[in-house]
Amino acid sequence: MKNRIFNSAPLLISIILAATLSVFYLSGISFLDMVELKAYDLRMKSRGGLEHGDEVVIAAIDEKSLHALGRWPWPRSTIALLLDKLGEYGARVIGFDIVFSEAEENSFLRNVDLIKRKLEENIADGSDMLEYLRALEQEANNDARVAEAVQDSGRVILGYYFYLQRADLEHIAPETLKNYLSSIEFSNYDQVFYTSREAGEGNFIKGYGVKSNIEVISKAALDFGYFNVIPDPDGVVRRLPLVVEYKGDDLLPGANLFPPLFFKMLLEFLGSPDFTLTVDERGLEEVQLGDRVIPTDKKGMILINYAGGAKTYRHYSIADILKEEVPSDAFMDKMVLVGVTATGVHEPKVIPLEKNFPRVEIQANIIDNLLHNRYLAKPKWARNLDLAMILGLGIGLGLILRKSRAAVGALSLVLIFAAFLYFNRYMFVERGVWLNVVYPGLNVIATFAAVSFYRRLTEGEKKRFIQNAFGPYVAPHVVSQMIDNPDMLKLSGERRVLTAFFSDIQGFTSISEKLVPEELVALINEYLTDMSDIILKYEGTIDKYEGGAIAAFFGAPISH
């Protein structure tokens, strides 16, 4: 009965641990989830760079541009000139990872406006001068020049961003927020299918206000998309939101889901293919783009399959673009992202591969992922597979440890863990599937450690039992064999052919009558000690002593 309990305990321990970690996995343990994110980064680093397309290029506000054109922000006339040049180079889509949220400060315009007012007030017939000043004002209005360049281009998608916390709106006047919203309110998703009435309240990232471009520039744009980047709890950007839900009161029902800059650029590049968002009670169910399905989670977050570190995608300095010192086909039929890469100007982002990564390059990576179907994803079935791995690996190791020695158990641990890591990495690198490595791996290690600890405790008890039960009657090396191989003992009894041995001192009664007690004890001790040593030498088992007699047997507990 005792041996049966000892043998079943490893399996019971493995089942308990597997069930516990499965519950932890389903409920989420913040520390373990954070470790899994770091393990995700290690897999991406070990994988190395990816093949990528050349459809996305970056017009960079870099150190070279700042040296040539002055500190950022530049006069809007420079932006207008950039748009003219990109149009001449044949760019198909131009997206701005920056926002023109304020009118340009222009002291010259203020002076012209002041002179114009004075003329209007004090000169009866100053029409010629007023007309000249109006023309001068129009020429010096860089915001108007940018708007004209945007209009002429016909391919510009402007960026903006959402305020994701209500507290961010405290310093902004409601009227200003309404003006910002008015410029982008018709850029929302217009092909959304709700599976039920309750599906209207999604599990999406919430935006409580927007900061968009000034009206004169917005009116000239082809479309709009937000460029919010939302890091994971550890500050690393691993995914981007494909949907932000606007939570203000200024939109009609059903018009509150908005797309990002990268998605708007992709749609324009592909010729505005059909797409549909399916929303259920828990969030985003599916995103259908043409004949492809974009993998997202319920919040609408899509994993970024980074192709490499900084400058993986082709960069061209805006200073070189303005000087026409780039190849003639550099932007032909390309998607051009205009953004900041200069150190100290852009807000650096941490990604799994680097700690100082420009936001505009994150946009380039995700566009390339979507365009070429190079996704990383955690599909619905991955959760079930994670649970199967937690339960299967742990319980499987428990079954092995149930009847194996410590060395075999350790080898089994190494082989199972290595096979699991190989399979996990294969799914990540070759299949683009993110499977959990922490919970199954932790279960394997915890099962081995717990069973080993249990065995140490129980085997100590076994050793003490064997030592106490057989030590006085069996040779020490036989006891050692029994301790090392406790399964050779069958405490329930066993039929076996043994050799019995009996010896007695002839005339012991007469001898004992002639000796004083001290002499008799000394004699008996000397005799029995020598006889016992001989019996133990030949691996006999002493049964009992009776006066000068000794009884022993050979063949048990170790067979001969």
Side-chain angles (χ1 to χ4, degrees):
M1 181 66 180
K2 214 168 190 179
N3 279 340
R4 187 178 299 174
I5 294 174
F6 287 153
N7 288 335
S8 62
L11 179 58
L12 182 61
I13 290 172
S14 67
I15 292 173
I16 293 173
L17 283 173
T20 301
L21 283 169
S22 296
V23 172
F24 286 171
Y25 172 76
L26 292 172
S27 59
I29 303 297
S30 57
F31 172 74
L32 294 180
D33 293 342
M34 195 71 71
V35 175
E36 175 61 27
L37 291 177
K38 298 305 180 185
Y40 174 96
D41 296 347
L42 287 175
R43 275 168 279 182
M44 184 165 284
K45 288 179 180 178
S46 67
R47 182 201 65 189
L50 284 179
E51 180 184 354
H52 60 87
D54 61 355
E55 295 88 351
V56 184
V57 294
I58 295 172
I61 303 167
D62 57 2
E63 285 82 357
K64 183 176 182 180
S65 298
L66 297 181
H67 179 75
L69 303 172
R71 68 180 184 178
W72 178 259
W74 298 324
R76 298 275 165 85
S77 57
T78 303
I79 302 299
L81 181 58
L82 171 66
L83 287 171
D84 293 340
K85 295 296 182 184
L86 291 176
E88 293 171 8
Y89 277 111
R92 191 190 299 187
V93 184
I94 302 170
F96 278 86
D97 188 58
I98 53 179
V99 62
F100 306 107
S101 59
E102 305 292 341
E104 183 180 69
E105 288 289 333
N106 193 322
S107 59
F108 178 76
L109 279 179
R110 286 198 301 270
N111 291 333
V112 168
D113 184 61
L114 182 61
I115 296 171
K116 190 173 65 173
R117 288 181 186 179
K118 292 292 185 182
L119 285 172
E120 290 171 345
E121 292 173 359
N122 301 318
I123 301 179
D125 187 16
S127 56
D128 291 341
M129 180 60 71
L130 284 171
E131 191 63 31
Y132 170 74
L133 288 174
R134 290 191 185 99
L136 193 62
E137 183 179 40
Q138 183 66 28
E139 182 180 347
N141 190 333
N142 289 333
D143 290 333
R145 290 185 63 188
V146 170
E148 183 180 357
V150 170
Q151 181 74 48
D152 292 344
S153 172
R155 67 201 81 184
V156 175
I157 298 176
L158 294 177
Y160 67 92
Y161 63 88
F162 278 102
Y163 293 103
L164 303 181
Q165 304 290 334
R166 288 191 185 276
D168 296 337
L169 308 179
E170 293 177 354
H171 65 288
I172 305 174
E175 190 62 32
T176 301
L177 288 174
K178 286 183 179 181
N179 291 337
Y180 282 143
L181 178 62
S182 65
S183 68
I184 61 101
E185 61 181 331
F186 298 112
S187 67
N188 60 300
Y189 283 114
D190 58 357
Q191 295 174 325
V192 183
F193 173 71
Y194 295 95
T195 59
S196 66
R197 291 186 177 183
E198 294 76 17
E201 283 295 326
N203 188 28
F204 305 120
I205 301 296
K206 306 294 191 297
Y208 298 95
V210 296
K211 189 161 189 176
S212 60
N213 300 271
I214 59 175
E215 182 180 5
V216 63
I217 298 177
S218 293
K219 285 182 176 179
L222 175 66
D223 214 332
F224 308 89
Y226 62 82
F227 50 71
N228 290 76
V229 171
I230 302 174
D232 285 325
D234 60 348
V236 180
V237 179
R238 300 180 182 89
R239 44 198 140 198
L240 287 176
L242 197 62
V243 177
V244 168
E245 180 181 11
Y246 178 71
K247 294 299 292 181
D249 301 322
D250 307 306
L251 294 176
L252 294 174
N256 60 342
L257 301 183
F258 286 83
L261 174 66
F262 66 81
F263 195 62
K264 283 290 190 176
M265 291 183 66
L266 180 67
L267 290 177
E268 183 63 26
F269 184 80
L270 295 176
S272 300
D274 292 334
F275 72 92
T276 303
L277 273 66
T278 302
V279 179
D280 62 17
E281 293 79 4
R282 295 182 297 162
L284 191 60
E285 172 66 19
E286 184 179 83
V287 180
Q288 186 81 32
L289 176 62
D291 58 353
R292 70 185 83 178
V293 175
I294 299 176
T296 69
D297 63 13
K298 286 297 183 180
K299 286 188 175 183
M301 302 293 284
I302 180 170
L303 287 166
I304 308 166
N305 197 6
Y306 288 102
K311 296 190 177 181
T312 295
Y313 296 91
R314 193 63 186 265
H315 283 55
Y316 293 100
S317 173
I318 289 179
D320 292 336
I321 297 171
L322 297 180
K323 294 177 183 177
E324 300 184 0
E325 295 179 353
V326 298
S328 59
D329 61 346
F331 304 105
M332 181 61 66
D333 286 329
K334 298 287 198 305
M335 286 177 277
V336 183
L337 277 162
V338 181
V340 181
T341 64
T343 303
V345 179
H346 78 93
E347 181 183 352
K349 304 298 179 184
V350 180
I351 68 168
L353 302 176
E354 289 189 13
K355 292 184 178 180
N356 188 3
F357 200 74
R359 183 180 64 207
V360 66
E361 293 198 59
I362 297 176
Q363 304 282 350
N365 274 272
I366 196 65
I367 290 174
D368 189 68
N369 292 167
L370 296 174
L371 186 61
H372 295 286
N373 295 318
R374 297 192 184 100
Y375 301 121
L376 273 176
K378 198 170 182 67
K380 297 175 184 177
W381 54 262
R383 188 177 181 87
N384 296 329
L385 183 55
D386 286 341
L387 287 171
M389 298 287 275
I390 295 171
L391 294 169
L393 292 177
I395 295 174
L397 182 60
L399 288 170
I400 294 173
L401 295 176
R402 184 183 182 187
K403 294 185 177 181
S404 64
R405 294 185 177 184
V408 176
L411 180 61
S412 301
L413 169 70
V414 172
L415 293 177
I416 290 174
F417 199 71
F420 165 66
L421 290 179
Y422 177 82
F423 174 73
N424 192 288
R425 188 177 187 278
Y426 167 80
M427 292 297 290
F428 186 88
V429 174
E430 302 296 334
R431 301 295 181 184
V433 176
W434 178 13
L435 296 177
N436 195 285
V437 70
V438 170
Y439 285 91
L442 178 61
N443 190 34
V444 170
I445 296 172
T447 298
F448 180 81
V451 171
S452 298
F453 180 72
Y454 173 81
R455 279 185 165 174
R456 176 165 292 188
L457 291 179
T458 56
E459 286 177 0
E461 182 181 341
K462 283 185 180 181
K463 289 178 181 179
R464 287 190 296 272
F465 170 76
I466 293 172
Q467 184 68 49
N468 294 334
F470 295 96
Y473 313 108
V474 180
H477 69 279
V478 176
V479 175
S480 297
Q481 291 183 52
M482 295 165 63
I483 290 173
D484 293 337
N485 302 278
D487 292 338
M488 69 173 54
L489 294 175
K490 294 186 177 179
L491 302 181
S492 59
E494 178 185 1
R495 289 180 177 271
R496 188 181 294 182
V497 177
L498 304 178
T499 299
F501 171 81
F502 300 93
S503 81
D504 194 7
I505 300 175
Q506 186 176 2
F508 178 70
T509 302
S510 301
I511 294 172
S512 62
E513 290 175 349
K514 297 175 182 179
L515 298 175
V516 298
E518 290 80 7
E519 293 174 331
L520 180 61
V521 170
L523 174 65
I524 292 298
N525 283 342
E526 182 179 358
Y527 168 73
L528 293 180
T529 298
D530 289 344
M531 287 296 291
S532 297
D533 289 344
I534 295 170
I535 293 170
L536 296 178
K537 176 182 177 181
Y538 291 96
E539 299 185 356
T541 300
I542 299 170
D543 182 35
K544 62 183 174 180
Y545 301 105
E546 190 172 339
I550 184 169
F553 52 85
F554 294 84
I558 296 179
S559 298
H560 289 281

